[in-house]
Amino acid sequence: MSRPTPWHRTALDRIPGGRDGRRMLIVSIIDKTGTGLWAGCTALYFTYVSGLGLGQVGLLMTVSGGVGIAGAPLAGRLADRYPLVRVIAGTQLMRGAALLALLTTDNFLLLTLYSALGALPDRAGSVLIKLYAARLAGPERVRYQAIQRTTVNIGWSIGGLGAAAALATGSVHAYPVLLVGNVLSYGVIAALTLRCAEPPAPARPTPAEDITGAPAPRRANPWRDRTFLGYTATDAALYLDDTILQVAVPLWIVHATAAPVGLAPLLLVLNTVLVVLFQVPLARFGASTPAARRLLIPLSGLFVVGTLALAASAAGGRALAISALVVAVIALTFAEIIHATASWELSVALAPADAQGTYLGVHGLAQSTQRFAGPLLVTAVMTAGPLAWPVLGLALVGAGAAQHRLIRDRVTRPEPTPASLSVPTATVSE
């Protein structure tokens, strides 16, 4: 009589990508645990350890964020030319080295330089992991990315709790310890990454492979692909849910509502818990390219609900403010989940196989640009008053509608029939 398979083994077997897929998930959780240790105290380190003024800290973070925007397209080009696993490990080591260099100086210009150098591979990380998932998990890439995002949120939570415990000591020596902890995490994940097998890259045609004798076509260029550039631009707008949740909600609580200040961290916990619980189950609704495009419709509705609730939170007393803020965070969190699912599938499906890395690198500009410009935009919205939130919601609906229309032909384009080809047909998603 055969023994039943242990439940944990069955769960592991359901993760796409086999052993290498599971190993890369371990890499993600260690990476974000280390990042969680450092991210929450970065500005405090520059203030209390390096002795920079408030204006210098703001300028340093703005410059490094702007330089970091170039990280995604650079990583995409490298991934199309060199083994992907080595590129990922190289960016991890570069992040660690740049961070460790901060311990060597208190000079403002050098600190800005090191921060900018670290921002390049940091912004490249999500693009490279998405590319790895696309090559390793194939048709199951959306499910794999959902699982990966869940592990990321768990890692952030662990790191954040560790940072909170260290900072509770009140010692200035806690900041370098947290920095070194993050550096050590980069060394660990680089070693684990190099143990992963190189995923199969999409086949690239050569003149010798062309049975007609014609030269192979030039590799696709995303900078000349107007549809893909338009898709990336609209996706940058749809990524704004992240800045609203992380930046706008805490500031809005303090400056415009009667809600207690202590509600802000509780709402961030609510956001994390919802992502962990629902990211994987909801991924099945975007498992194909047409399905991912259809998700843009409920996404628009969630943006409307979230922004209306933010406006309502400033219209009454404490109870109304708390209730409206909870509704807003729930709606915007589900918008975040749905947009992540749709964006994973659409960005990969719209990228030609022979330039997948380059295309995903350009798409990475959407998130990087939003992180850079998003705080300025939501600050302007808050300054304009509560009625500006619904206006922003309608603008996001417009971005979603534009994207839905823009990619229609690429997503629903009929495939060639078997009679006209000597190879089987495939869907866009495949």
Side-chain angles (χ1 to χ4, degrees), residues 139 289 410-411 413-418 421 423-430:
T289 310
R410 290 272 279 268
V411 169
R413 182 182 298 163
E415 298 293 326
T417 61
L421 294 175
V423 295
T425 58
T427 65
V428 174
S429 178
E430 293 167 342

Side-chain angles (χ1 to χ4, degrees), residues 55-334:
Q56 288 178 309
V57 173
L59 180 59
L60 180 151
M61 299 187 78
T62 300
V63 170
S64 60
V67 172
I69 292 175
L74 286 175
R77 291 184 65 86
L78 290 173
D80 274 341
R81 288 163 173 75
Y82 301 101
L84 179 56
V85 167
R86 294 182 184 178
V87 174
I88 295 174
T91 59
Q92 292 161 346
L93 293 174
M94 185 176 174
R95 289 163 72 188
L99 192 60
L100 191 61
L102 296 178
L103 292 174
T104 65
T105 182
D106 292 333
N107 181 272
F108 170 68
L109 293 178
L110 287 177
L111 289 172
T112 303
L113 173 63
Y114 297 149
S115 297
L117 291 176
L120 284 169
D122 182 67
R123 296 296 184 268
S126 60
V127 171
L128 295 173
I129 294 298
K130 180 192 289 188
L131 184 58
Y132 186 89
R135 293 181 179 179
L136 185 71
E140 293 187 278
R141 59 178 174 257
V142 172
R143 175 176 172 78
Y144 182 85
Q145 283 279 67
I147 296 172
Q148 193 266 345
R149 191 163 189 265
T150 301
T151 64
V152 162
N153 278 272
I154 293 172
W156 271 111
S157 300
I158 296 172
L161 290 173
L167 296 180
T169 64
S171 172
V172 72
H173 299 296
Y175 299 107
V177 170
L178 294 172
L179 184 154
V180 171
N182 194 11
V183 171
L184 292 175
S185 73
Y186 290 137
V188 172
I189 62 176
L192 288 174
T193 298
L194 291 173
R195 293 185 61 190
C196 294
E198 181 70 18
R204 296 170 185 167
T206 64
E209 292 171 343
D210 193 334
I211 59 175
T212 65
R218 289 190 305 172
R219 180 178 295 175
N221 185 342
W223 298 107
R224 297 177 181 176
D225 188 333
R226 294 182 180 180
T227 297
F228 193 81
L229 290 177
Y231 165 74
T232 299
T234 53
D235 226 30
L238 297 181
Y239 270 117
L240 199 63
D241 56 72
D242 179 66
T243 299
I244 295 175
L245 287 167
Q246 301 294 328
V247 178
V249 168
L251 293 175
W252 188 247
I253 289 174
V254 173
H255 294 288
T257 78
V261 176
L263 182 64
L266 295 179
L267 291 177
L268 292 179
V269 170
L270 174 62
N271 167 258
T272 301
V273 170
L274 290 176
V275 171
V276 170
L277 290 177
F278 291 102
Q279 187 71 73
V280 175
L282 293 180
R284 68 180 184 272
F285 294 106
S288 68
T289 310
R293 177 174 175 259
R294 288 194 294 270
L295 287 178
L296 295 173
I297 298 174
L299 174 63
S300 296
L302 289 167
F303 276 129
V304 170
V305 172
T307 52
L308 284 174
L310 283 173
S313 68
R318 185 186 183 99
L320 174 61
I322 293 174
S323 301
L325 286 166
V326 170
V327 171
V329 168
I330 291 174
L332 291 170
T333 298
F334 278 99

